[in-house]
């Protein structure tokens, strides 16, 4: 290996580490916005003649931490997905090779005609929250 190749390798590794540090900083260090939502989970909405299902992908989120708020014209789903390695665990000195899964507080607001819907079921299974809404009878 020539010194030129070694230099390129070192610069490549250094740039890779800088990019990783930048991603970590953007994800975990939020000055003055610690309570602001850090990400939004993906959703699927399916409607039939008599109901509406909202499926929200929430793997790694505890069921008792999920808040569902019905508002006029929308529903808001919020919670906190913790980083899986706690500070007290021995792995906290581990080297992170990839960090693509979002962690922290999230909030998702979904526009729905809530005045015409009734929340009839709520289930968290296999990391997916399913909200089932029944359509109200129109007069």
């Amino acid at each position: 290996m020539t010194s030129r190749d070694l230099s390129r390798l070192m610069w490549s590794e250094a740039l890779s580490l800088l990019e990783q540090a930048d991603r970590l900083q953007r994800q975990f260090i939020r000055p003055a916005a610690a309570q602001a939502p850090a990400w939004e989970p993906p959703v699927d909405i399916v409607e039939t003649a008599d109901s509406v299902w909202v499926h929200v992908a929430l793997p790694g989120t505890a069921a008792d931490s999920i808040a569902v708020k019905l508002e006029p014209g929308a529903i808001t789903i919020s919670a906190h997905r913790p980083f899986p390695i706690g500070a007290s665990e021995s792995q906290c000195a581990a080297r992170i090779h990839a960090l693509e899964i979002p962690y922290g507080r999230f909030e998702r607001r979904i526009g729905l005609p809530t005045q015409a819907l009734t929340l009839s079921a709520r289930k968290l299974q296999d990391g997916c929250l399913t909200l089932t809404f029944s359509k109200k009878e129109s007069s």
Side-chain angles (χ1 to χ4, degrees):
M1 179 179 285
T2 67
S3 65
R4 182 180 206 99
D5 292 337
L6 184 58
S7 178
R8 284 185 182 162
L9 178 65
M10 288 173 47
W11 276 109
S12 174
E13 181 68 20
L15 289 174
S16 175
L17 289 172
L18 284 171
E19 288 173 1
Q20 181 180 3
D22 189 45
R23 280 193 309 272
L24 288 170
Q25 181 179 17
R26 281 194 311 267
Q27 184 168 0
F28 291 109
I29 301 173
R30 299 194 193 310
Q35 293 300 320
W39 60 283
E40 289 185 342
V43 301
D44 291 336
I45 302 172
V46 179
E47 181 178 8
T48 64
D50 57 352
S51 61
V52 175
W53 288 284
V54 178
H55 303 281
V56 187
L58 298 176
T61 306
D64 60 348
S65 74
I66 301 169
V68 177
K69 183 178 171 186
L70 298 173
E71 304 168 349
I75 60 169
T76 301
I77 302 155
S78 61
H80 180 271
R81 178 163 55 194
F83 191 68
I85 300 175
S88 64
E89 295 184 28
S90 61
Q91 296 101 342
C92 67
R95 181 176 179 199
I96 297 173
H97 293 274
L99 191 60
E100 298 177 3
I101 300 171
Y103 297 100
R105 185 177 179 282
F106 67 83
E107 184 174 289
R108 182 69 189 257
R109 188 170 194 274
I110 304 163
L112 286 175
T114 53
Q115 65 279 7
L117 301 171
T118 302
L119 181 60
S120 55
R122 171 184 167 159
K123 181 169 96 174
L124 181 68
Q125 182 178 5
D126 298 330
C128 186
L129 174 67
T130 301
L131 302 173
T132 305
F133 292 91
S134 302
K135 292 183 179 180
K136 294 179 183 175
E137 295 291 323
S138 29
S139 339

